[in-house]
Amino acid sequence: MSASEVIWMGFIASFCASLGTAAGSLGVFAIRRLSRQMEDGLLSLAAGIMLAATFFSLLLPALEYASSDYQSDTLGGLAVGAGTLLGAFTLFAIHQYVPHEHFISGREGGDNYKLGRIWLFVTAITLHNFPEGLAVGVGFAGGELENGLTLAIGIGLQNFPEGLAVAVALLSVGYSAGKSAMIGILSGLVEPVGGLIGAAAVSSAAVLMPWALAFAAGAMLFVISDEIIPETHNNGNQNLATFTLLIGFVIMMLLDTSL
Ligand SMILES: [Zn+2]
């Protein structure tokens, strides 16, 4: 693929992945309420898919590119490690400046408080869609069509429960189902923006490829460790959360090895 084809593929594939968010958001018309247990289980499943996508579709290709770029496995590994930390730290810095509520758990409060909290939750999901888009975009590094498509499918799949969680949360504070679904759909549109940026980065300079892949991996790992795991383990559903995460991981691993 030419550089411009990589950019187009990154954009289109990340846009398609955001359709998972849209489909999940529309689910609010059918599923109007999620129990805490359902929510913890679904978001952990999403985290497991994200986790395996980080390893198999971002870090493994990053290590491969870096080892050949730097002609040493050790130097390659160090570069990928540095890129991973850079991605995680960048997300951490963004989290410091953007007000957001962690995924599920939050302090109890009055109706106004709850309304504010739900909006912060929507912001959190929207924010985390950016590194996901980035991941899909950089997945096409080096014209790797299969890797990019696998990422898009995995990310699209795990967007489904996330979109549903957003829309159901909005419905619970009094928005209509239509409006809740619409906002859920919009939260996913951050993804093609990330996809475009990621694909543009990897197609502008080959030296950036392992770095961009590692950066996206670090950003994803930060979200999983900082948000999803603690929040889904906070309500007494730890065992469920652990095993749905593992199931998500296995699903993505199988997707990655079979495509
Ligand atoms: Zn996610």
Side-chain angles (χ1 to χ4, degrees):
M1 287 197 288
S2 71
S4 67
E5 278 168 343
V6 167
I7 296 176
W8 269 110
M9 276 311 291
F11 179 68
I12 293 166
S14 53
F15 177 76
C16 290
S18 79
L19 296 180
T21 309
S25 305
L26 289 171
V28 75
F29 287 104
I31 303 162
R32 305 186 74 94
R33 218 191 88 78
L34 281 178
S35 66
R36 182 44 62 82
Q37 208 175 14
M38 270 301 271
E39 201 170 43
D40 283 344
L42 284 172
L43 288 177
S44 295
L45 188 76
I49 295 176
M50 289 168 72
L51 201 56
T54 300
F55 282 91
F56 298 103
S57 306
L58 295 173
L59 289 175
L60 285 184
L63 286 167
E64 224 169 89
Y65 286 124
S67 300
S68 83
D69 278 5
Y70 300 104
Q71 308 204 327
S72 146
D73 284 350
T74 313
L75 283 179
L78 283 172
V80 170
T84 304
L85 291 174
L86 196 67
F89 190 77
T90 304
L91 256 263
F92 171 73
I94 293 170
H95 273 65
Q96 300 297 93
Y97 291 106
V98 182
H100 70 289
E101 183 70 62
H102 283 235
F103 276 173
I104 304 166
S105 66
R107 295 137 297 185
E108 296 299 320
D111 272 3
N112 264 340
Y113 192 85
K114 195 175 177 215
L115 189 69
R117 195 179 85 63
I118 295 295
W119 272 105
L120 291 170
F121 166 71
V122 174
T123 311
I125 294 265
T126 308
L127 267 183
H128 114 285
N129 280 333
F130 181 77
E132 288 182 358
L134 199 67
V136 173
V138 301
F140 290 97
E144 294 272 355
L145 195 62
E146 273 170 35
N147 191 50
L149 290 179
T150 307
L151 266 161
I153 293 169
I155 296 294
L157 272 180
Q158 62 85 49
N159 274 337
F160 188 88
E162 290 174 356
L164 182 64
V166 164
V168 167
L170 287 163
L171 190 75
S172 77
V173 286
Y175 288 95
S176 68
K179 213 168 191 176
S180 302
M182 185 49 72
I183 298 165
I185 292 168
L186 289 177
S187 78
L189 292 182
V190 177
E191 233 156 86
V193 179
L196 193 61
I197 293 173
V202 292
S203 55
S204 66
V207 285
L208 279 179
M209 283 195 314
W211 287 91
L213 285 159
F215 183 94
M220 297 265 278
L221 286 174
F222 177 84
V223 171
I224 296 164
S225 169
D226 182 65
E227 306 254 359
I228 313 183
I229 293 178
E231 302 308 321
T232 53
H233 282 243
N234 223 354
N235 316 297
N237 301 318
Q238 301 88 320
N239 292 337
L240 174 81
T242 295
F243 283 101
T244 46
L245 182 142
L246 279 160
I247 290 168
F249 191 95
V250 170
I251 291 174
M252 185 63 205
M253 186 172 68
L254 292 177
L255 207 65
D256 203 86
T257 48
S258 63
L259 278 180

